[in-house]
Amino acid sequence: MASSSTASPLPRIVLYHQTVHDRDGKHISILPLITQPGVAVTHIIVAAIHINDDPNALTLNDHAPADPRYATLWAELRIAQASGIKVLGMLGGAAKGSYVRLDQDQSLFEAYYAPVYHLIKDKGLDGIDLDVEEAMSLSGIIRLVDRIRADFGPDFLITLAPVAAALLDVRRNLSGFDYEALEVMRGSQIAWYNTQFYCGWGDASTPIMYEMIVARGWAPEKVVVGLVTHAENGAGFVPWELLRANLTLLNFQFSRFGGVMGWEYFNSSPGGKDKPWEWAQRMTSVLRAGEGVAIDDTPAQDLNKVKEGVVDLSKTSSTGVGVQMVDPDVGAPTDVPVPAEFDYFSDFSNGSDD
């Protein structure tokens, strides 16, 4: 059974859930995240909520959130909540337009925000993930954060999903606004950042970029390492053997390590579409070992080697070439490659982006 996320909130294990039907229209169940042994997922983020030209035409991927095709999804998410897993909704993503519409004068903001408010209330969501992948002003995101906090109270979770490079250099950013400035001004209202360490915007194959982010002043409990769960879900997939070593090191190095998030659930490795919960089992075995099951070589063995100085896990890269630990005084990288546009597909229908 999944453990309560409130009992031991760190490190978090967060999963995005966007593809909720297979190609034949069969529902993809998240219940194994609750019923399978050795799984301690703390948060599920249902994606992706889109604000469209018509303020009353809010969509979850390609359909209205109240569409009958989502009835089983919402029922399972309520079961997850009853099992102690927090459920959030992701607003925005690569399909642009939601935040441009919210970043306008007050009357238009009210018109476009209202359906989001009602969706959160109607579905009893525990939080919202603001995935801003288009230009938005700092004042605009602050207004949105302030309004959500005022409407839903102090326990409601507000997260954001920047690319990892944006936490080091405002110029390497999909969101327009400066995340460091946002953290200074409204950090107390933001639970954590689902940071995208993939698609050319970050590298999860070594601990270096995470260490640089912390060295820059970000609290480790607020930076969650975002991963693609399968090579088909985006560039930057990290093989399990390497990922296990790096996460073990980060969890040992930072006593309040923020955890991991995975994009996305339906085809997660190693189980793929048949057993997508196995990704969460493996993350549990590394980060929440007391609640998980041993997978291959146990993380404890890796950790003991780190403690004894037998092996420096940080000097392993995805190519097998050694890399050096980052000097904590080093600032942002001078050049981060910018990838080409990429698309995700929801429900295998009209090709909506996340």
Side-chain angles (χ1 to χ4, degrees), residues 151-284:
D151 285 345
F152 297 102
D155 296 328
F156 189 77
L157 297 171
I158 301 174
T159 64
L160 283 90
V163 294
L167 301 189
L168 292 171
D169 186 343
V170 67
R171 297 168 298 177
R172 289 5 185 216
N173 191 352
L174 291 175
S175 308
F177 57 83
D178 185 337
Y179 278 91
E180 288 188 357
L182 177 64
E183 177 66 10
V184 168
M185 299 179 73
R186 291 296 186 275
S188 62
Q189 305 304 318
I190 297 167
W192 72 85
Y193 297 88
N194 292 302
T195 312
Q196 300 179 48
F197 281 77
Y198 47 81
C199 289
W201 298 101
D203 182 5
S205 69
T206 83
I208 288 180
M209 196 166 189
Y210 192 93
E211 292 168 341
M212 292 178 72
I213 289 170
V214 174
R216 191 169 177 85
W218 292 92
E221 62 266 26
K222 297 196 72 171
V223 182
V224 170
V225 176
L227 308 165
V228 285
T229 60
H230 192 284
E232 294 178 357
N233 297 348
F237 176 76
V238 181
W240 164 245
E241 293 77 11
L242 181 57
L243 185 61
R244 177 188 60 199
N246 291 329
L247 293 177
T248 299
L249 177 64
L250 289 174
N251 198 27
F252 170 66
Q253 189 174 3
F254 301 106
S255 62
R256 294 187 57 78
F257 176 52
V260 297
M261 73 82 162
W263 179 270
E264 60 171 311
Y265 168 69
F266 86 104
N267 64 346
S268 302
S269 296
K273 296 174 184 177
D274 292 332
K275 298 180 179 180
W277 60 85
E278 289 186 352
W279 183 90
Q281 277 184 330
R282 289 192 164 188
M283 294 303 107
T284 301

Side-chain angles (χ1 to χ4, degrees), residues 46-174:
V46 61
I49 301 164
H50 300 302
I51 299 173
N52 300 298
D53 283 336
D54 180 353
N56 296 313
L58 196 72
T59 52
L60 177 62
N61 299 322
D62 302 314
H63 303 273
D67 190 285
R69 67 171 26 238
Y70 294 132
T72 303
L73 168 68
W74 294 120
E76 289 190 353
L77 290 172
R78 289 193 293 272
I79 294 171
Q81 288 174 310
S83 302
I85 298 172
K86 299 295 185 182
V87 173
L88 296 79
M90 187 195 95
L91 176 65
K96 297 176 174 59
S98 295
Y99 292 98
V100 169
R101 296 180 176 105
L102 288 170
D103 197 17
Q104 299 189 59
D105 64 49
Q106 192 64 31
S107 63
L108 286 172
F109 171 83
E110 297 292 346
Y112 285 115
Y113 171 77
V116 178
Y117 168 86
H118 290 300
L119 175 62
I120 293 170
K121 294 289 279 189
D122 291 345
K123 301 305 180 184
L125 298 179
D126 299 302
I128 189 164
D129 181 57
L130 306 177
D131 187 0
V132 187
E133 299 191 19
E134 58 188 308
M136 188 180 195
S137 67
L138 180 61
S139 61
I141 191 67
I142 287 175
R143 176 175 62 178
L144 180 58
V145 168
D146 287 349
R147 183 58 175 273
I148 293 169
R149 178 62 65 223
D151 285 345
F152 297 102
D155 296 328
F156 189 77
L157 297 171
I158 301 174
T159 64
L160 283 90
V163 294
L167 301 189
L168 292 171
D169 186 343
V170 67
R171 297 168 298 177
R172 289 5 185 216
N173 191 352
L174 291 175

